[in-house]
Amino acid sequence: QVQLVESGGGLVQAGGSLRLSCAASGRIFSIDAMGWYRQAPGKQRELVARVGSGGLGFTNYADSVKGRFTITEDNAKNTVYLQMNSLKPEDTAVYYCNADVRTTVLRPSRDYWGPGTQVTVSS
């Protein structure tokens, strides 16, 4: 019922920047929150940043990205962005988009995940 489409990943040199985008489509009544998670090989998937959508006002960041990454959302476009500045090799991972979506007023929201996009930071 809901699909997430990610874009913006790629290869960048240390100190550079990338901007990830994720658009949700399908049967969407409302989106409560959207966020980004990442997973490096052999590591657990971890929260990068999460933001409340629409009238929900909150933002969470992993300590490792505070001051470097900025998450924003465009509720009208059902889209979330992750501006990544001052990238480090340790930021290399597959980045996954997540959205907490309600598809109907009759049922509660549930989580949806994108397929992931590779971000590689070279030194």
Side-chain angles (χ1 to χ4, degrees):
Q1 289 185 302
V2 177
Q3 296 81 42
L4 303 181
V5 179
E6 301 154 326
S7 62
L11 175 65
V12 66
Q13 293 183 337
S17 298
L18 284 173
R19 181 174 179 263
L20 304 183
S21 300
C22 173
S25 62
R27 182 173 175 81
I28 300 173
F29 177 77
S30 64
I31 298 178
D32 293 333
M34 300 186 78
W36 293 93
Y37 296 71
R38 67 186 181 187
Q39 186 170 25
K43 301 289 187 178
Q44 293 280 335
R45 184 176 298 187
E46 65 173 349
L47 170 72
V48 178
R50 191 165 181 83
V51 62
S53 300
L56 299 179
F58 72 86
T59 307
N60 295 316
Y61 291 95
D63 288 341
S64 60
V65 307
K66 287 180 179 177
R68 300 188 298 120
F69 292 9
T70 302
I71 187 169
T72 57
E73 59 91 23
D74 186 336
N75 185 255
K77 297 181 179 179
N78 296 323
T79 300
V80 66
Y81 306 92
L82 185 68
Q83 179 66 47
M84 304 185 293
N85 298 326
S86 302
L87 282 161
K88 305 174 181 180
E90 49 263 46
D91 295 318
T92 296
V94 177
Y95 284 69
Y96 297 92
C97 180
N98 170 264
D100 187 14
V101 181
R102 176 176 282 108
T103 60
T104 171
V105 296
L106 301 177
R107 301 166 70 178
S109 62
R110 56 166 289 183
D111 281 349
Y112 293 86
W113 291 90
T117 184
Q118 178 70 44
V119 171
T120 302
V121 184
S122 64
S123 59

